Amino acid sequence: QVQLVESGGGLVQAGGSLILSCAASGRTLSAYAMAWFRQAPGKEREFVAHIRWTGGSQYYADSVKGRFTISRDNAKNTVYLQMNSLKPEDTAVYYCAARSRGNYYSKESYNYWGQGTQVTVSS
């Protein structure tokens, strides 16, 4: 059982930066890999970035690679998403998710989800 709470969303101008946080709680968090997904209005939820509590396994969607950085603070049980060079296309609700198995890029693999935080990038 994992509980996830996102924060840090907001309105930012194109080219700007934003940091999202995902506070995780629950027993045996190390059994879960963590990821960020996003969903824009009228579009399917898509993979953004992935990380594990131990080791690396940092993966990114092609659309954000080089601009976004996922990181973790194990002492705080928190995962972050540093978003730089934001584009209007990045506008979406961003969700934190946790999985115990399956493909890192597939939303169907994730067992737990946060409620989401809105990111709006203006042009």
Side-chain angles (χ1 to χ4, degrees):
Q1 183 70 37
V2 176
Q3 298 82 46
L4 306 172
V5 180
E6 304 98 331
S7 62
L11 175 64
V12 65
Q13 204 169 2
S17 298
L18 207 60
I19 303 176
L20 305 183
S21 297
C22 173
S25 62
R27 197 177 74 85
T28 319
L29 287 180
S30 62
Y32 297 88
M34 307 295 296
W36 289 96
F37 283 75
R38 66 187 184 185
Q39 187 167 21
K43 300 198 69 176
E44 63 184 306
R45 192 169 300 185
E46 66 176 358
F47 168 77
V48 176
H50 171 280
I51 197 170
R52 292 186 180 275
W53 294 107
T54 302
S57 298
Q58 297 178 28
Y59 306 131
Y60 298 92
D62 289 342
S63 59
V64 307
K65 189 174 180 64
R67 299 188 298 122
F68 291 11
T69 302
I70 189 169
S71 61
R72 66 175 190 256
D73 186 335
N74 290 36
K76 296 181 178 180
N77 292 331
T78 300
V79 175
Y80 304 94
L81 185 67
Q82 173 69 59
M83 304 185 293
N84 298 324
S85 302
L86 283 162
K87 305 174 181 179
E89 307 92 90
D90 296 318
T91 296
V93 176
Y94 282 71
Y95 297 91
C96 183
R99 68 175 179 89
S100 59
R101 60 184 296 173
N103 299 319
Y104 71 86
Y105 53 83
S106 176
K107 60 182 180 295
E108 286 77 19
S109 296
Y110 290 79
N111 309 92
Y112 303 100
W113 297 85
Q115 294 185 349
T117 185
Q118 176 71 48
V119 173
T120 302
V121 184
S122 64
S123 60

